[in-house]
């Protein structure tokens, strides 16, 4: 039996159709909202918890958005998605460098962060993402 092989996100092209229209509208929406600051609100909450500040909580975390931006970029070659992904990745890494408490997360968030960081590393060619994967894992192990 042959092993399953990924077709790769770059190999997916939608023809003019309701699916393509919906995908394109989705891309326009996620480029506008949420902002990088809104996505990072939970991370910043960890940093600011002693300050007693209240910020809006996101239902999904940084890792989910990293993966979404990367995979949609690969499927569409829309550089705005790559730019927003890198903006989010860079902002998150600054938070982690400023305060390692930002690495505190539950099992689900750990999994999505690892996936997002793997996507950034593998598909966008950012080897430093592996450093953050290691830091995240070491922090979780403690």
């Amino acid at each position: 039996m042959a092993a399953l092989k990924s077709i790769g996100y770059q190999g997916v092209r939608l023809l003019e159709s309701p699916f393509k229209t919906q995908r394109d509208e989705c891309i326009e929406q996620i480029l506008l909202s949420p902002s990088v600051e809104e996505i990072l609100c939970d991370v910043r909450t960890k940093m600011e918890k002693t300050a007693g500040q209240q910020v809006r909580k996101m239902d999904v975390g940084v890792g989910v958005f990293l993966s979404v931006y990367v995979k949609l970029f690969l499927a569409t070659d829309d550089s705005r998605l790559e730019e927003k992904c890198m903006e989010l990745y860079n902002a998150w890494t600054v938070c982690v460098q400023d305060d390692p408490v930002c690495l505190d997360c539950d099992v689900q968030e750990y999994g999505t962060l690892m996936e997002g960081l793997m996507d950034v590393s593998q598909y966008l060619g950012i080897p430093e993402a592996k450093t953050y994967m290691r830091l995240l894992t070491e922090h979780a192990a403690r």
Side-chain angles (χ1 to χ4, degrees):
M1 177 184 282
L4 293 176
K5 293 182 183 178
S6 172
I7 62 169
Y9 297 98
Q10 299 95 327
V12 177
R13 293 289 180 252
L14 293 178
L15 301 176
E16 290 302 322
S17 66
F19 297 116
K20 183 178 181 302
T21 300
Q22 185 177 20
R23 188 218 40 213
D24 293 346
E25 289 172 358
C26 175
I27 288 171
E28 294 305 319
Q29 182 59 44
I30 66 171
L31 286 170
L32 294 174
S33 178
S35 68
V36 167
E37 286 303 312
E38 288 172 318
I39 297 168
L40 288 174
C41 70
D42 285 344
V43 174
R44 297 204 193 286
T45 298
K46 292 172 189 173
M47 295 172 70
E48 299 165 355
K49 64 183 173 185
T50 56
Q53 296 182 8
Q54 295 292 323
V55 292
R56 186 175 144 248
K57 181 166 175 57
M58 291 292 293
D59 293 329
V60 296
V62 172
V64 171
F65 284 101
L66 289 173
S67 285
V68 166
Y69 296 142
V70 168
K71 290 170 183 166
L72 282 172
F73 163 67
L74 293 173
T76 63
D77 205 28
D78 184 335
S79 62
R80 299 174 303 161
L81 293 158
E82 180 183 30
E83 290 166 10
K84 187 148 185 187
C85 180
M86 290 309 301
E87 180 184 358
L88 175 58
Y89 169 77
N90 290 328
W92 180 80
T93 61
V94 167
C95 290
V96 170
Q97 291 165 7
D98 288 348
D99 190 347
V101 75
C102 295
L103 295 170
D104 289 349
C105 57
D106 62 21
V107 173
Q108 180 181 353
E109 187 178 2
Y110 172 85
T112 60
L113 264 172
M114 288 298 283
E115 179 181 0
L117 293 170
M118 283 188 279
D119 287 345
V120 167
S121 174
Q122 179 178 349
Y123 295 120
L124 298 185
I126 309 298
E128 296 82 20
K130 291 179 182 176
T131 300
Y132 291 98
M133 292 165 62
R134 182 184 46 77
L135 289 172
L136 183 62
T137 301
E138 290 172 354
H139 189 83
R142 284 192 289 273

